[in-house]
Amino acid sequence: MKNAITPLLMSFILFFSISGNSFGCTHTISLFDSYGDGWHGNNFVDVYVDGTLVLDDITLGSGSGPASYSFEANTGQSIQVTYT
């Protein structure tokens, strides 16, 4: 099973950055592709803040990236990222 997961994990990188004050922040998720050919349209990410979908089906259409997307979250809110 490890061999099946490794190529997938090597093909993309997610990077988060945060700016703002202690009560609310702008978060940025940046998508990269180590092979430089994008995510082939079949891979995408959803981002949820406290269970509410805030970024839907974001992807890296082509190239190495980054493709950056921003969203807001307050201190204490949970952030969940799902990759499909």
Side-chain angles (χ1 to χ4, degrees):
M1 186 71 169
K2 183 177 180 182
N3 290 338
I5 294 172
T6 302
L8 175 64
L9 294 177
M10 293 177 61
S11 68
F12 73 93
I13 301 168
L14 302 176
F15 175 78
F16 280 98
S17 64
I18 302 170
S19 62
N21 58 43
S22 62
F23 300 106
C25 297
T26 299
H27 299 262
T28 303
I29 182 171
S30 298
L31 313 179
F32 296 86
D33 181 82
S34 62
Y35 295 113
D37 58 356
W39 287 9
H40 305 290
N42 296 321
N43 305 319
F44 56 90
V45 171
D46 291 333
V47 177
Y48 298 84
V49 175
D50 275 350
T52 300
L53 182 64
V54 295
L55 294 175
D56 186 25
D57 294 347
I58 61 174
T59 191
L60 176 60
S62 63
S64 297
S68 297
Y69 301 86
S70 296
F71 62 96
E72 299 293 321
N74 294 318
T75 299
Q77 289 185 301
S78 67
I79 298 171
Q80 179 183 3
V81 177
T82 60
Y83 172 81
T84 303

